[in-house]
Amino acid sequence: MSDKSAGTLAGKQPVVPTIARPKRPAGTLYRGREGMWSWVMHRITGVAIYFFLLVHILDTALVRVSPEAYNAVINQYKTPIMGLGEIALVAAIGLHALNGLRIILIDFWSVGTKHQKLMFYIVIGLWVVLMIGFVPRQFMHIFGGGE
């Protein structure tokens, strides 16, 4: 037997196994399921609330520096655009709080992970109901329909 044919059967080439590439997941880069969207919404609302609190602390501290400047800033908050911003703020706080409760249940309830998808839809449903209760009253306040 020659060196060239060593390890082969009767001069046939050895079979080399090939590994197929894994399929790419359907949907978005992160698969687009409820858990991923919950994570994204929680991070976005958390950052938005953080920046609101930063601005709120700064504008409140302005009263010590210049009461006239403080009054000017507060008068800007009475505009319709800021009223719509208040709706966005309440929406962010409500969603962040409800989703935070969902996360606590997932972490500390023994079957939390099993029911995380259902809890996601419950959070969205509760949030929508709360916003339905808040938004019309806020619109009345913004556009002069109520005090």
Side-chain angles (χ1 to χ4, degrees):
M1 209 178 222
S2 69
D3 289 331
K4 287 183 177 180
S5 64
T8 62
L9 296 175
K12 293 184 181 180
Q13 294 295 325
V15 177
V16 178
T18 58
I19 300 173
R21 286 184 159 182
K23 291 183 179 182
R24 292 187 70 191
T28 64
L29 180 64
Y30 296 106
R31 301 185 187 211
R33 303 301 304 178
E34 293 81 1
M36 186 272 298
W37 288 114
S38 172
W39 182 87
V40 168
M41 291 186 304
H42 201 71
R43 295 312 182 267
I44 290 171
T45 57
V47 168
I49 293 165
Y50 170 79
F51 282 113
F52 163 77
L53 289 173
L54 178 65
V55 169
H56 181 64
I57 290 168
L58 292 174
D59 70 12
T60 304
L62 192 58
V63 76
R64 304 271 292 158
V65 177
S66 169
E68 296 80 22
Y70 173 79
N71 288 333
V73 169
I74 294 302
N75 286 333
Q76 289 298 313
Y77 290 158
K78 295 177 183 176
T79 64
I81 290 178
M82 294 307 286
L84 295 174
E86 289 175 352
I87 292 173
L89 176 65
V90 169
I93 291 171
L95 186 59
H96 193 80
L98 291 170
N99 194 50
L101 293 173
R102 175 185 164 271
I103 291 169
I104 289 169
L105 285 173
I106 290 170
D107 287 345
F108 294 109
W109 187 25
S110 63
V111 292
T113 54
K114 180 180 177 185
H115 299 296
Q116 68 91 19
K117 184 187 287 190
L118 173 64
M119 288 189 291
F120 172 80
Y121 290 113
I122 291 170
V123 162
I124 297 300
L126 286 172
W127 178 73
V128 167
V129 167
L130 291 172
M131 291 306 294
I132 288 171
F134 171 73
V135 171
R137 181 72 176 131
Q138 181 67 2
F139 276 147
M140 288 188 293
H141 178 71
I142 294 170
F143 300 113
E147 288 297 320

